[in-house]
């Protein structure tokens, strides 16, 4: 049962469309996934159907399919993402080579969508203030093989103070009252109240102020929520524009969404295959400046050099960063990290263990191939056994990249007859 106060407001907002909205809540939810272009060729999946109109890599899939259990999911070939949630990045329109910030990024759907559009070029900062959710964000960045992302667990005020004018584009997918997710998440219904709406609106305005500092003049800011409340949507944007005369709403042409003002759109579940969403596109005016970049980096150890030569690994332009014994490869434009709570400064390469190099799972998922490879079919017993953590047959000796139908999934170390399994214990099933 939906809250009466919510229903009365929706009736006032929608007028004669209100019955259609109620009917849309009774139909089965449209479920979707987004292919990850960083993994190479798009997989041919029998359960994938119609394309999501506003995302070229987004597809609806059969409601009785379970793509989260398919080995391709563990390979990072796709991300399960609600179709309307793909709209904000479509309007952000990230480009390869840019500096982009996803300010409220967990669990990582929009961050990995941005990364796919960047095609491995440029710098991406993915931030989440909740430590628990930031960990999930970091895991999804790893699973989808994103190498050019810095994952932080920071408050937005500190980021705005530390990195003023650093980014070409900033996405604020703000924490909200979740009214657009009522059909999807029962907790969104039980947690809802008019006080929650007001509290979320106050928090959103603070986050937007911090986001404004991060963006360079000439850059694009996209604000989105998954709620219908005007206090959290049009009113929040109007208050922001009143406080920030250097910003203007940007008039963009989007045929699939309902326009509710210059640069502002609503996604209604009775008008498309998706849940409720709101998106606003803003532009920061003024003279462009070139922000400072931290050029410092550490030297790659000889153990890495030997492993990379053995496996035929060539890293993109970047710089080495060490956190204890763990070695990362960071984007060359990564800013100074001192004073920031960092979960992942870039691509995790591996660990130094008493003069030996132990490759990271993240490195395997980033690679598309290697000199030493052991490949299995997705529906084979070997793949099931590997994901379970068992020893699997192989004629390969030494370290090898384990692949499923041509997609990397992890590491193994062979003796010429079997592979010692190096699939992470926390991921085994």
């Amino acid at each position: 049962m939906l809250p009466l106060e919510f229903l009365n407001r929706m009736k006032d907002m929608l007028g004669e469309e209100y019955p259609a909205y109620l009917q849309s809540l009774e139909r089965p939810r449209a479920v979707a996934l987004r292919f990850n272009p960083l993994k190479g060729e798009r997989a041919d999946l029998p359960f994938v159907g119609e394309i999501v109109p506003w995302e070229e890599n987004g597809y609806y899939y059969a409601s009785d399919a379970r793509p989260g259990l398919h080995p391709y999911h563990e390979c990072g070939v796709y991300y399960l993402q609600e179709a309307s949630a793909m709209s904000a990045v479509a309007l952000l329109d990230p480009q390869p080579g840019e500096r982009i910030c996803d300010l409220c990024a967990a669990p990582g759907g929009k961050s990995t969508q941005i990364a796919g559009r960047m095609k491995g070029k440029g710098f991406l900062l993915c931030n989440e203030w909740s430590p628990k959710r930031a960990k999930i964000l970091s895991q999804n960045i790893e699973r989808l093989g994103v190498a050019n992302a810095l994952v932080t667990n920071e408050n937005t005020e500190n980021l705005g103070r530390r990195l003023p004018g650093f980014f070409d584009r900033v996405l604020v997918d703000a924490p909200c009252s979740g009214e657009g997710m009522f059909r999807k998440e029962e907790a969104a219904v039980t947690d809802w109240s008019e006080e929650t709406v007001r509290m979320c609106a106050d928090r959103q305005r603070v986050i937007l102020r911090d986001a404004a500092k991060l963006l360079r003049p000439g850059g694009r800011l996209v604000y989105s929520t998954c709620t219908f409340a005007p206090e959290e949507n049009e009113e929040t944007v109007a208050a922001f524009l009143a406080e920030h005369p250097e910003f203007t709403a940007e008039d963009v042409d989007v045929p699939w969404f309902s326009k509710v003002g210059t640069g502002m759109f609503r996604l209604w579940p009775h008008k498309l295959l998706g849940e409720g969403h709101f998106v606003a596109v803003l532009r920061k005016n003024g003279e462009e400046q070139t922000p400072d970049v931290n050029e410092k980096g550490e030297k790659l150890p000889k153990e890495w050099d030997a492993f990379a030569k053995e496996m035929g690994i060539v890293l993109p332009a970047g710089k080495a960063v060490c956190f204890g014994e763990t070695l990362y490869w960071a984007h060359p434009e990564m800013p100074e990290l001192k004073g920031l709570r960092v979960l992942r400064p870039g691509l995790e390469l591996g660990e130094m263990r008493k003069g030996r190099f132990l490759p990271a799972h993240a490195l395997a998922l980033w690679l598309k191939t290697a000199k030493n490879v052991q490949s299995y079919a997705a529906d084979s017993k070997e793949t099931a056994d590997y994901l379970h953590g068992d020893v699997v047959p192989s004629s390969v000796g030494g370290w090898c990249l384990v692949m499923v139908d041509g997609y990397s999934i992890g590491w193994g170390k062979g003796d010429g007859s079997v592979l010692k399994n190096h699939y992470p214990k926390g991921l085994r099933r």
Side-chain angles (χ1 to χ4, degrees):
M1 178 69 70
L2 297 180
L4 181 60
E5 299 92 336
F6 167 76
L7 291 174
N8 287 337
R9 191 232 295 149
M10 293 299 289
K11 187 174 183 180
D12 290 340
M13 290 176 64
L14 287 167
E16 62 182 18
E17 293 184 18
Y18 180 64
Y21 165 71
L22 292 181
Q23 290 173 8
S24 75
L25 301 182
E26 300 299 322
R27 76 183 184 214
R29 286 197 309 110
V31 287
L33 57 79
R34 180 177 40 76
F35 280 109
N36 176 17
L38 299 178
K39 294 296 289 191
E41 293 295 321
R42 188 172 300 173
D44 182 16
L45 299 177
F47 51 79
V48 166
E50 183 181 349
I51 192 170
V52 176
W54 45 91
E55 170 52 60
E56 65 178 0
N57 290 305
Y59 287 82
Y60 297 100
Y61 63 85
S63 59
D64 59 349
R66 303 181 72 184
L69 300 180
H70 197 286
Y72 288 174
H73 182 267
E74 306 312 309
C75 294
V77 174
Y78 50 78
Y79 187 100
L80 305 183
Q81 186 176 24
E82 197 278 315
S84 292
M86 301 179 192
S87 61
V89 173
L91 288 170
L92 185 69
D93 193 26
Q95 300 296 314
E98 293 182 327
R99 297 176 185 171
I100 300 177
C101 175
D102 187 358
L103 196 54
C104 310
K110 293 177 177 65
S111 285
T112 54
Q113 187 181 3
I114 292 169
R117 292 194 174 213
M118 294 175 75
K119 301 178 181 178
K121 299 176 182 178
F123 172 72
L124 173 61
L125 188 150
C126 314
N127 180 69
E128 173 57 42
W129 70 272
S130 164
K132 183 177 180 180
R133 286 169 55 81
K135 184 177 180 180
I136 296 171
L137 166 65
S138 183
Q139 291 169 345
N140 280 319
I141 290 293
E142 174 177 285
R143 182 172 65 84
L144 270 74
V146 179
N148 58 332
L150 166 66
V151 180
T152 57
N153 171 213
E154 271 294 343
N155 63 69
T156 57
E157 181 182 7
N158 191 37
L159 285 176
R161 182 172 57 249
R162 289 290 308 279
L163 299 172
F166 193 83
F167 296 97
D168 300 296
R169 300 176 197 256
V170 175
L171 173 64
V172 177
D173 184 43
C176 68
S177 59
E179 295 171 358
M181 296 292 111
F182 278 178
R183 181 171 56 166
K184 180 182 177 184
E185 299 176 6
E186 180 64 28
V189 179
T190 57
D191 292 344
W192 185 91
S193 70
E194 292 180 316
E195 175 59 30
T196 298
V197 170
R198 289 190 290 270
M199 179 187 69
C200 289
D202 290 341
R203 180 170 53 185
Q204 289 153 1
R205 296 182 187 194
V206 172
I207 294 172
L208 271 175
R209 291 185 195 118
D210 297 330
K213 300 171 187 174
L214 291 165
L215 190 67
R216 67 164 175 82
R220 175 177 283 191
L221 170 61
V222 166
Y223 172 76
S224 69
T225 72
C226 58
T227 195
F228 300 117
E231 299 97 315
E232 301 180 64
N233 295 331
E234 293 95 334
E235 293 177 23
T236 289
V237 173
F240 173 79
L241 291 175
E243 292 179 1
H244 296 82
E246 74 275 22
F247 277 84
T248 55
E250 188 171 0
D251 193 15
V252 292
D253 183 25
V254 185
W256 312 286
F257 312 144
S258 300
K259 194 170 185 178
V260 292
T262 302
M264 290 186 280
F265 305 88
R266 284 184 177 273
L267 283 69
W268 297 105
H270 61 286
K271 292 187 174 183
L272 45 72
L273 291 176
E275 305 303 319
H277 227 71
F278 171 86
V279 188
V281 184
L282 309 173
R283 178 73 67 177
K284 187 175 185 179
N285 305 308
E287 296 183 5
E288 295 190 22
Q289 300 174 345
T290 303
D292 293 333
V293 174
N294 176 28
E295 302 290 349
K296 296 179 181 178
E298 301 181 36
K299 186 178 179 180
L300 285 167
K302 62 181 184 301
E303 292 86 354
W304 159 260
D305 291 337
F307 178 80
K309 184 177 180 180
E310 175 188 352
M311 298 300 296
I313 299 172
V314 178
L315 295 173
K319 53 192 176 186
V321 177
C322 288
F323 278 17
E325 294 183 338
T326 305
L327 179 66
Y328 291 86
W329 190 244
H331 190 272
E333 294 186 351
M334 185 180 71
E336 174 60 53
L337 300 181
K338 187 176 181 180
L340 294 177
R341 291 191 294 270
V342 175
L343 275 70
R344 183 180 295 270
L347 175 64
E348 184 181 354
L349 299 180
E351 294 184 4
M352 306 303 301
R353 295 277 185 87
K354 298 180 180 179
R356 296 181 296 111
F357 183 79
L358 183 65
H361 185 59
L363 176 62
L365 292 172
W366 172 72
L367 289 169
K368 291 186 177 68
T369 189
K371 280 186 178 180
N372 300 329
V373 168
Q374 174 62 64
S375 189
Y376 303 113
D379 58 357
S380 68
K381 181 179 184 299
E382 289 83 359
T383 293
D385 289 345
Y386 178 78
L387 291 173
H388 191 257
D390 298 335
V391 171
V392 287
S394 172
S395 60
V396 177
W399 283 106
C400 71
L401 184 66
V402 180
M403 307 189 77
V404 173
D405 293 346
Y407 297 114
S408 59
I409 196 170
W411 294 109
K413 195 170 187 180
D415 62 6
S417 59
V418 295
L419 281 184
K420 181 180 179 182
N421 199 314
H422 282 265
Y423 194 66
K425 292 182 179 179
L427 300 178
R428 294 176 183 179
R429 61 190 194 188

